[in-house]
Structure formats: C-alpha cells, structure tokens
C-alpha cells in the first residue's frame, strides 16, 4: 500500500496549510520543538547518566526518576504536538526523506521503551540491578539519540 | 575593523572548505544542536529545581556539585562547534540580526551566572534543602531559563533570511542594527 496520498492529504489539510502559508508559524513551531528537545534530552539524560552511575551517585534513582517524571511527560507532549504540526505542513517532503522514515521507525520504539521498560525501572523504590540499569540507560540514550539526530537530518535532506 | 578581520577569516581555505563541505557542516551543526540536550537540558533541570518546580527533596548543592560539571563540559562542546560554524561563514553571522540578538542574550546569561555565583550561592547552605528557594535564587533561575531559551530560539532563527542584507529593501532600523552595507538612494 502506498501512503503517498495520505501524506498529500495531510499537507493539503486545513492544519497543514495554516502552518505552510504562514511566514512565522513554522519557524516558531520549530523553535519550540527545539526548546522541547532541550528539556526532553535533559530530563532523560539526568536519569540515564545516574543509571550508568556517572552522575549524582549520592541520589537514589527513584528520587530523580519521580522528581523528573512530570517534566518528562510535559516535554514529550510538547515534542509530539509541535512535531505533528511541523509534519503536517511539509508531509510530502517528509514522505520522500529517508531521515524522516528512520525517525518514524525509531520514535514509537523509543516511546514504548521509555514508558513500558524504563519508567517502571526508574520509578520503583528498590534500586535496579546494576546491569539492568546500564542496559536501560544505554537503550534510552541510543534510541533517543537516533530520533534526535534523524530529526535534525530531515532539514538537511531537502 | 572587526568586519575586515571576519571578511579575511571567511576567505581562508578552511573556512571555504567547511562552508562548501557536503557532510562536515551538517555534522557540526547536528553536534551543536544535539549537545543542547545535555547543556540546556541539565541547566533547565537545575533551574526548575531552584524554582521549586522539580526534584523537591534533592538538595540544590547536589545538583550544583554533581550536575553542573556536565553542563559545563557540554558548554565547551557548544562553544567549539559554535565557533566552527561561525568560522564557516563569519560575515553572514556578523550581519545577522538574530545572531546579534543571540550574542546579546549569551551576555545576559553569562552576567546572570556571575551574579548568581558571586552573591546568591554564598548563602545557599540556608536554603539548600528548601523545596522553594528564596526569591534571589528563583529570580536567577528564571532569568537563566528565559535567557537560554532566547539563545536557542534566536540561534534557530539565524537560518531564516527575512532580514538578510542582500535582500533589500529592508527597513532603516534593520539595516542599521545589522550594519548592512547599503548605499542610500
């Protein structure tokens, strides 16, 4: 099944055109997306580096995990909403972009890994086993790094 | 004077090579953007803690002692990659309104850090464990968040050519702010 008609419909939609015809909207959304990246990357990395035992060793994983959990949710919500609008405005370009395809293949895995694997480990009272902690942190960093790097590359592949 | 130096810099072979490279420039730019997660992200976590909005129960000194070194290391990467990008097209940045705003806001963020370390940090023992630190600390955190957000946004907008000197007519104030070399009609 070819998805191109769906992508064309997205770009032609009211929402896609709203962002597309505006001079300022796309750059503003892009800027907020970038602020979201900083926040999301920060709250992920602080806990991941703690899981790797290289940062904030004197703080329990659960304390950091719980203290940053609301901000993780906020950052994800900000990224998904701004990312969705950016996509709608240039869906056809995204369709033809290998970087976008890589990002869309990795993003659901990263989200599922974060909420189904990482957060249960991070929010638990008992400290995680050292190798489980390392595996979770490495998975989180690799997945989100791929999402971020391929996302940045969409802009270069035009 | 400064413009002459930058014009010369932009003519050096390595500058031209970086500017015209197929992969080096995008890779440097990607490193600059992705390091934001570690730099601005960890700075934001500390700011949110000082505002009393995250990580209550974690002493502020734990973050300034064990988190800030990572923020500083990431800042070094930001500066190195940033200078490399500047070196690729120095005159473009010199005449860019958004780049000038970015440098200004970098100054604001820097002064805020100096003031914070010279004055606010000294009394930190008294509010190290407080869920909501005193007003001066919260003000420093808010200025930091806003200044760095402004640096990120103006940095992103440098890529847009709305105010580019080569695209005339621009309003007189824009030409003046960017020192566009335009001959009056």
């Amino acid at each position: 099944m070819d998805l191109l008609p769906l992508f064309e419909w997205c770009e032609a939609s009211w929402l896609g055109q709203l962002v597309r015809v505006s001079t300022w909207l796309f750059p503003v959304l892009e800027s907020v997306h970038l602020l979201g990246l900083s926040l999301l990357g920060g709250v992920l990395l602080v806990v991941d580096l703690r899981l790797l035992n290289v940062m904030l060793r004197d703080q329990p994983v659960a304390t950091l995990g719980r203290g940053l959990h609301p901000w993780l949710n906020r950052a994800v919500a900000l990224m998904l909403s701004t990312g969705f609008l950016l996509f709608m405005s240039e869906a056809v370009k995204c369709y033809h972009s290998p970087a976008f395809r890589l990002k869309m293949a990795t993003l659901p895995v990263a989200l599922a890994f974060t909420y189904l694997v990482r957060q249960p480990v991070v929010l638990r009272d008992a400290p995680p086993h050292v190798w489980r902690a390392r595996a979770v942190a490495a998975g989180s960093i690799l997945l989100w790094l791929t999402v971020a790097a391929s996302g940045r590359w969409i802009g270069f592949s035009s | 004077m400064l413009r002459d130096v930058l014009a010369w810099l932009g003519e050096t072979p390595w500058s031209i090579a970086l500017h015209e490279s197929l992969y080096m420039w995008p890779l440097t730019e990607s490193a600059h953007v992705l390091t934001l997660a570690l730099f601005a992200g960890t700075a934001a976590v500390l700011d949110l803690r000082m505002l009393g909005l995250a990580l209550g129960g974690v002493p502020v000194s734990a973050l300034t002692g064990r988190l800030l070194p990572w923020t500083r290391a990431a800042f070094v990467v930001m500066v190195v990659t940033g200078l490399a990008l500047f070196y690729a097209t120095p005159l473009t940045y010199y005449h860019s309104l958004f780049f000038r705003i970015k440098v200004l806001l970098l100054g604001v963020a820097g002064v805020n850090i100096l003031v914070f370390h010279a004055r606010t940090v000294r009394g930190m023992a008294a509010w190290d464990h407080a869920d909501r630190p005193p007003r001066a600390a919260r003000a420093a955190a808010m200025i930091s968040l806003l200044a760095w957000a402004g640096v990120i946004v103006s940095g992103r907008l440098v890529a847009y050519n709305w105010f580019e000197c080569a695209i005339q007519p621009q309003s007189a104030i824009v030409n003046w702010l960017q020192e566009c070399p335009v001959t009056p009609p």
Side-chain angles (χ1 to χ4, degrees), chain B residues 16-156:
Chain B
I16 295 165
L18 185 58
H19 180 198
E20 293 179 347
S21 74
L22 190 55
Y23 288 113
M24 257 330 268
W25 196 90
L27 285 174
T28 311
E29 155 74 9
S30 297
H32 193 64
V33 170
L34 295 185
T35 309
L36 265 184
L38 190 59
F39 167 66
T42 52
V45 167
L46 173 61
D47 290 334
L48 290 172
R49 170 63 187 88
M50 288 214 297
L51 284 167
L53 295 175
L55 292 174
V58 177
V60 178
S61 63
L63 297 178
T64 51
R66 299 290 174 87
L67 186 69
L68 267 188
W70 287 86
T71 315
R72 292 197 192 103
F75 186 69
V76 173
V77 179
M78 294 304 291
V79 170
V80 170
T81 51
L83 284 176
L85 294 169
F86 182 82
Y87 173 59
T89 48
L91 273 189
T92 308
Y93 294 114
Y94 178 79
H95 288 298
S96 160
L97 183 59
F98 290 118
F99 186 79
R100 290 178 172 219
I101 295 172
K102 177 173 177 172
V103 172
L104 202 67
L105 290 171
L106 276 169
V108 172
V111 170
N112 184 53
I113 291 170
L114 290 179
V115 172
F116 177 71
H117 282 278
R119 296 172 57 183
T120 321
V121 165
R122 251 187 257 159
M124 199 166 82
W127 48 269
D128 197 14
H129 291 267
D131 274 352
R132 196 158 181 265
R135 200 191 168 94
R138 281 183 282 131
M142 190 49 105
I143 293 171
S144 166
L145 270 183
L146 291 176
W148 289 117
V151 168
I152 293 169
V153 171
S154 52
R156 173 62 262 194

Side-chain angles (χ1 to χ4, degrees), chain A residues 23-24 26-27 30-31 34-35 37-38 41-42 45-46 49 54-56 58-59 63-64 67 71 148-149 152-153 156, chain B residues 25-27 29-30 33-34 37-38 40-41 48 53-55 58-59 62-63 66-67 70 149 152-153 156-157 160 162:
Chain A
T23 310
W24 286 91
F26 190 90
E30 213 178 23
S31 300
L34 202 51
L35 294 175
L37 171 133
S38 308
L45 278 170
V46 167
L49 294 173
V54 295
M55 184 200 272
L56 291 162
D58 46 359
Q59 299 298 319
T63 305
L64 298 172
W71 289 99
R152 172 60 273 208
W153 212 262
F156 295 133
Chain B
W25 196 90
L27 285 174
E29 155 74 9
S30 297
V33 170
L34 295 185
L38 190 59
L48 290 172
L53 295 175
L55 292 174
V58 177
L63 297 178
R66 299 290 174 87
L67 186 69
W70 287 86
I152 293 169
V153 171
R156 173 62 262 194
L157 294 181
Y160 289 87
W162 303 315

Side-chain angles (χ1 to χ4, degrees), chain A residues 39-57 59-72 114 118-124 128 133-134 136-138 140-141, chain B residues 38 41-42 45 55 63 67:
Chain A
L39 185 62
L40 179 62
V43 297
L44 286 168
L45 278 170
V46 167
V47 178
D48 287 338
L49 294 173
R50 172 63 186 87
L51 287 169
L52 291 173
N53 219 14
V54 295
M55 184 200 272
L56 291 162
R57 276 178 218 144
Q59 299 298 319
V61 170
T63 305
L64 298 172
R66 283 184 198 146
L68 293 175
H69 186 69
W71 289 99
L72 173 67
T114 301
R118 180 187 187 265
Q119 289 312 89
V121 169
V122 161
L123 297 174
R124 197 180 299 149
R134 283 178 191 168
V136 166
S140 172
I141 291 172
Chain B
L38 190 59
T42 52
V45 167
L55 292 174
L63 297 178
L67 186 69

Side-chain angles (χ1 to χ4, degrees), chain A residues 10-22 88-89:
Chain A
C10 286
E11 191 167 309
S13 71
W14 174 79
L15 207 54
Q17 287 304 305
L18 180 78
V19 178
R20 197 175 181 82
V21 298
S22 159
M88 292 296 277
S89 76

